[in-house]
Every structure is written in C-alpha cells, then in structure tokens.
Amino acid sequence: MVSLPKVWSAPLPLKPPSVTAIYPGSFDPITNGHLDLVQRGARMFDTLIVAILRNDSKLPLFSVEERMDMLREVVRPYPNVQVDCFDGLLVDYAAARFATVLLRGIRAISDYEYELQMALMNRRLRPDIETVFMMSNEAYSFISSRLVKEVYRLGGNISGLVPPSVEARMHSRMQPE
Ligand code: PNS
C-alpha cells in the first residue's frame, strides 16, 4: 500500500456540497479581463462572489459604491455571481462567507511572484481556503485597470478594454487631458 506524505498537521475538511469562491480585487474599474474571469469562474463554482477591497491605500478613481454598481451591471447575466465589498483580511472575509476558494487571475509571469506570495500567506493564515489561479484570456492579458485609466486620461481609445457601461462612466468621470 502506498502511504501518502502528511502535508498538514490537521486534516483538511472535505469538499462542501456547494462551493463558494471569492474573486477579490480593487476593480477600479472592472476591465474586460476581469469580466472574462468572472464568466469562467461562474462556470466552475456554485457561487462566485466578486469582492471589492474597501480600505484600499491606492487612491481610487471610483468609490466602492460606484464600483459595486458597475460590477452589478456587468454580472447581471450570471445568476450565481454576487457582488460585495470587504475590509480586513481576505481569508477572514472568505471564511465569514463560507467560501473555500479564492480565485485570482494571472496575466503574465510578472503577476506570478506577487500572487504566489499572497496565496502562500493566505494558506498559512487559513489552510482550508484554497487559492485557484486562472490564466487570463490572451486577448485581455495586457489589460489592467491602471493602464486603462492612464490611456483614457491621455486621450487614448479604451473601447474593447472595459465593458461599454464602464466606458460611459469613465467619460462622465474623467476629461481626457
Ligand atoms: O486588484 P488587486 O489590487 O490586485 O487586489 C489585491 C487584493 C484585494 C486581493 C489584496 O490586496 C487583498 O487580499 N487585500 C486584503 C488584505 C489581506 O488579506 N492582506 C493579506 C493578503 S496575503
């Protein structure tokens, strides 16, 4: 008989009957890359909660409430996707929502180091919550909220990078220089 190596001191809980995943982030604003991950995540998990970090030290362009409104508009086609916001540790929020998975996207190798650090720290804090990485769709792998804002501010065309409803909000919020 093959004996498996013992990895954790306490056994991990079994898979729950219904799996809830948290897709956390700043979403300032949501891009088509994020939305692609939402679509794909919604097919994998019973419930997917897109959760905005509330106490973000980066100065956001949109308030948390505006970001939640934008998210709600674009996730409407997916009945198992919810929108929420959180404060404090992500793993504590996930546990409070009975989530067992954290979903994160990886666009390029440059994302990997930061994501690995976060995933390992989160696992140390709560080994029963698993981080699942999905590779970004190659069509969106160059898009970030930061670049979208910069391109828009400098008068560049952002259509196709963010959902049309988000683009409209950008127009009403920011005047290109
Ligand atoms: O969209 P972002 O800015 O890449 O998202 C980063 C986010 C919100 C996932 C991360 O900053 C986070 O989880 N913050 C909550 C505080 C926390 O749990 N910190 C320890 C993470 S190891």
Side-chain angles (χ1 to χ4, degrees), residues 71-91:
L71 277 165
R72 282 196 199 101
E73 271 173 43
V74 297
V75 306
R76 207 169 285 140
Y78 313 104
N80 62 333
V81 177
Q82 301 171 17
V83 174
D84 197 9
C85 61
F86 72 102
D87 263 327
L89 280 179
L90 172 60
V91 286

Side-chain angles (χ1 to χ4, degrees), residues 7 18 20 28 31 47-48 63 70 74 79 90 108-109 112 118 124-125 134 143-144 159 164 166 175 177:
V7 179
S18 168
T20 297
D28 184 41
T31 67
T47 303
L48 180 66
S63 70
M70 285 188 271
V74 297
L90 172 60
I109 197 73
Y112 179 77
M118 280 207 299
R124 188 191 161 95
L125 294 169
M134 284 173 81
I143 306 177
S144 69
S159 83
V166 172
Q175 290 306 313
E177 283 173 4

Side-chain angles (χ1 to χ4, degrees), residues 24-27 34 51-53 55-56 58 86 88-91 104 114-115 117-119 121-122 125:
S26 309
F27 304 106
H34 294 131
I52 301 174
L53 175 64
N55 57 353
D56 202 339
K58 305 172 207 164
F86 72 102
L89 280 179
L90 172 60
V91 286
R104 291 287 288 174
Y114 169 61
E115 294 297 334
Q117 264 188 339
M118 280 207 299
M121 180 60 83
N122 284 332
L125 294 169

